[in-house]
Amino acid sequence: MMRRVAVLVSLVFVAGCGNNTPPAATPVAEAGRDRSATPELLDSLWAQVQQAVERRKWDQVTTLVGQFNLEVPPGDARATRARLYMGEAYLGKKEYLQAAREFRRVSDENPADSLAAEGLLRVGDSYMGLWRRPELDPTYGQAALATYQELLSRYPDSDAAKQGQLRIADLNDRFAYKQLKAAQYYLRNKAYDSAILYLKDIAATYPRAKVTPEALVLLIRAYRALNYQEDVQETCEYLRKYHPDRVDGQKTCAGVSAPADSAAPAPLTPPPPPPS
């Protein structure tokens, strides 16, 4: 009898619970469906992105662009500029390598986009940000130079390419300055042959660099220290021809005549014409 009562109680309990059965869980795929942003919401988010960029609120930019990228539909023209803004935000926060990666994606993922050239320019700028002092390891400076040269090759007629040419001139000034410091070190230690190698390389590789006239003057002094009179004459001739306004050059070469063989080739490569 007691067992029959227990069974009846159990049946009643189960039946009562059946009236409060919880709803079935919504599958994950169902939950994430149809949640794309409306055009109005996307426009509002984009306006916030642009406002943050204008105010240089870089942390806000990275957050807002991240949200925008999650919502933007394929083919939206703003997606490429959003990637560019993300690079600018990292550059503004001095996170140069991450900035370079974002800018590189602008160029490589959308090579036909009007922003692709600017993205490549900013890749180079990011690498330049990592080489602030010319006397240090020039690895990032060389990476910047290679990037600007790539820009000139891929987008030669773009406004970004014109800016890239100016960046290359600046980099060449830095490379030449680094070479000059090394040459001065050897000159102080009277290692004239080593100094001459650096100084000749400056004149040949960076003929339009700001420090090149100074390098030529030091080169003449190094030749004189070793009594290389013919080299002194040739270098003075080069200095007079391509840097006639250099006062210390005029003093250094005072009384030095032209080489006896006027048909001999110039010892250094003439500087190229300035970019148009």
Side-chain angles (χ1 to χ4, degrees):
M1 181 68 179
M2 292 296 296
R3 292 180 61 186
R4 291 178 62 189
V5 171
V7 171
L8 290 172
V9 170
S10 299
L11 292 172
V12 171
F13 178 77
V14 171
C17 290
N19 295 330
N20 297 312
T21 302
T26 304
V28 174
E30 296 277 335
R33 189 176 296 170
D34 297 332
R35 292 186 57 194
S36 58
T38 63
E40 293 77 11
L41 179 60
L42 204 60
D43 290 344
S44 175
L45 186 56
W46 183 246
Q48 294 178 57
V49 169
Q50 292 183 307
Q51 187 177 54
V53 170
E54 290 173 0
R55 295 181 177 180
R56 298 180 179 272
K57 302 292 185 180
W58 301 126
D59 288 329
Q60 290 182 19
V61 172
T62 55
T63 300
L64 291 169
V65 170
Q67 294 174 2
F68 182 83
N69 287 339
L70 290 175
E71 302 289 354
V72 66
D76 192 306
R78 293 172 292 188
T80 303
R81 185 166 292 279
R83 182 69 60 192
L84 190 73
Y85 284 160
M86 184 70 88
E88 293 292 351
Y90 283 119
L91 192 62
K93 296 195 293 181
K94 302 187 186 305
E95 297 179 27
Y96 297 110
L97 289 178
Q98 186 61 37
R101 284 190 282 268
E102 295 293 338
F103 289 131
R104 173 60 71 172
R105 291 183 64 180
V106 172
S107 175
D108 289 354
E109 294 179 3
N110 307 277
D113 194 283
S114 60
L115 295 174
E118 184 177 352
L120 206 52
L121 176 72
R122 299 302 273 160
V123 174
D125 293 347
S126 300
Y127 286 133
M128 279 191 70
L130 289 165
W131 193 44
R132 305 298 296 178
R133 296 172 59 188
E135 64 270 19
L136 300 181
D137 186 343
T139 299
Y140 287 118
Q142 293 164 349
L145 178 61
T147 305
Y148 294 137
Q149 290 171 337
E150 179 186 354
L151 168 63
L152 268 59
S153 175
R154 290 175 59 183
Y155 307 101
D157 300 324
S158 64
D159 290 337
K162 296 177 182 178
Q163 297 181 53
Q165 287 182 325
L166 297 177
R167 305 285 207 282
I168 288 174
D170 182 34
L171 274 171
N172 285 339
D173 282 338
R174 297 189 191 192
F175 287 128
Y177 176 80
K178 182 176 177 64
Q179 294 276 75
L180 182 67
K181 299 301 288 186
Q184 289 173 333
Y185 168 80
Y186 285 114
L187 286 173
R188 287 194 298 269
N189 290 278
K190 302 186 184 304
Y192 296 112
D193 286 325
S194 296
I196 287 170
L197 291 176
Y198 279 98
L199 294 168
K200 287 185 68 175
D201 185 64
I202 292 172
T205 308
Y206 311 108
R208 298 193 62 83
K210 295 177 181 177
V211 301
T212 298
E214 180 180 355
L216 290 170
V217 171
L218 294 178
L219 181 60
I220 293 166
R221 294 173 182 172
Y223 282 146
R224 276 190 172 144
L226 296 175
N227 200 30
Y228 293 168
Q229 295 303 322
E230 184 177 348
D231 291 316
V232 169
Q233 291 175 326
E234 290 176 343
T235 308
C236 279
E237 183 182 20
Y238 181 93
L239 187 62
R240 289 170 179 145
K241 182 175 182 179
Y242 295 108
H243 304 282
D245 298 330
R246 187 78 187 190
V247 176
D248 55 348
Q250 294 175 5
K251 293 180 179 179
T252 301
C253 292
V256 177
S257 60
D261 184 5
S262 58
L268 300 169
T269 303
S276 57

